[in-house]
Amino acid sequence: MDYLPKDPAILVSSINMLLRDEEFDSLESLCCNFNTEPEKLKTTLREAGYIFSEEQKQFRPIGFA
């Protein structure tokens, strides 16, 4: 993958896949590779209804238990 998708649903899926498949060991290393700020990415996805779980190392829907 050369760039992060713009569509929030595809973006969250892509990020979770890259973290799950251990392409990157952290959200910070993923963001560094794609030249974006972790907080900007978190804000973008929060606005789309997702929040990052440090424990699970993935974005999850807000309110999902």
Side-chain angles (χ1 to χ4, degrees), residues 3-58:
Y3 61 91
L4 291 174
K6 301 291 184 208
D7 180 271
I10 297 171
L11 176 61
V12 75
S13 177
S14 298
I15 290 171
N16 285 345
M17 177 197 65
L18 291 168
L19 291 171
R20 180 191 66 236
D21 294 347
E22 298 180 353
E23 295 287 327
F24 298 96
D25 61 351
S26 69
L27 182 61
E28 289 74 19
S29 64
L30 183 147
C31 287
C32 183
N33 183 75
F34 290 104
N35 198 30
T36 191
E37 294 294 322
E39 289 309 313
K40 181 180 178 191
L41 188 60
K42 287 179 180 180
T43 298
T44 298
L45 289 174
R46 189 175 306 114
E47 290 170 357
Y50 298 93
I51 192 161
F52 190 71
S53 167
E54 295 289 341
E55 181 181 311
Q56 295 174 325
K57 240 172 64 170
Q58 67 177 214

